[in-house]
Amino acid sequence: MASALVTPVSGPVIGTWNALALGTTNDDGYSLSCTIQGQEVNASDAYGQTLVEGIYRGQNWRCQIEGLEWNRAGLLDSLNAFGRTGASGTFTPQLTAVGDKYSTYAKVLLLDSILGSPPTTPDTLTASNAIIAPQSRTAFDMTSKMRVMPIEYVFLPYQATVGSATVNVFFTVT
């Protein structure tokens, strides 16, 4: 049998936030994105506004999902991360903790591949400091249509042991 010309990486993923199921997502699954922060060195007499160098200033990792099971405890608890009036897994947001640090409310976001390896890689992604992103927007329609819940998480950096070294990370993978 001839081998394929391309070896794609694919496969569905299941997720939890604070060990609570996030349920089924839309076909886009879990979309991770990174914004590299930097200062452009691009204002000089000799080169005008040509980018001649850059200064690395960190990075910001985010994960976007659209949950198709609006009533999943992981989605509702994510939305109520800063306070709620009811039990875990209910939609009961409360205005509290104004002025508190995001990291106080961050929990573990765990993504596990269903198929294993190969073809899916990584097998697991663990973001131990994940929280609903600042300035993010979620919405759901109160209608006869299916309620979906878009959520954007931000991964705050934390220290983890990787190999024999303690390093600053946004997430770990296996």
Side-chain angles (χ1 to χ4, degrees):
M1 172 187 255
S3 63
L5 296 176
V6 175
T7 306
V9 176
S10 64
V13 171
I14 57 173
T16 61
W17 186 78
N18 195 25
L20 298 169
L22 295 170
T24 303
T25 63
N26 72 352
D27 195 38
D28 294 330
Y30 295 85
S31 178
L32 273 67
S33 61
C34 179
T35 303
I36 303 297
Q37 301 298 326
Q39 177 184 8
E40 293 186 353
V41 179
N42 63 352
S44 65
D45 186 40
Y47 302 104
Q49 292 181 330
T50 303
L51 180 64
V52 295
E53 183 58 278
I55 306 298
Y56 176 65
R57 304 271 296 151
Q59 48 190 283
N60 292 308
W61 281 90
R62 293 176 183 254
C63 177
Q64 297 86 21
I65 70 169
E66 184 173 75
L68 297 182
E69 298 178 271
W70 186 89
N71 60 344
R72 286 300 187 128
L75 294 174
L76 294 173
D77 275 22
S78 296
L79 191 57
N80 294 325
F82 300 102
R84 64 174 161 259
T85 60
S88 176
T90 61
F91 180 59
T92 57
Q94 177 185 7
L95 181 59
T96 184
V98 172
D100 210 348
K101 300 179 301 182
Y102 259 61
S103 60
T104 302
Y105 305 94
K107 306 291 184 205
V108 174
L109 178 71
L110 178 63
L111 305 180
D112 282 312
S113 67
I114 294 173
L115 297 178
S117 181
T120 303
T121 184
D123 286 331
T124 64
L125 181 145
T126 304
S128 293
N129 221 4
I131 184 72
I132 194 165
Q135 311 310 319
S136 64
R137 183 177 183 275
T138 190
F140 55 90
D141 297 324
M142 301 290 283
T143 177
S144 61
K145 296 187 290 183
M146 179 178 74
R147 288 172 174 78
V148 297
M149 185 183 297
I151 288 189
E152 181 179 29
Y153 295 97
V154 64
F155 299 164
L156 301 175
Y158 59 97
Q159 289 191 333
T161 301
V162 178
S164 60
T166 300
V167 294
N168 297 329
V169 297
F170 296 93
F171 53 85
T172 58
V173 295
T174 58

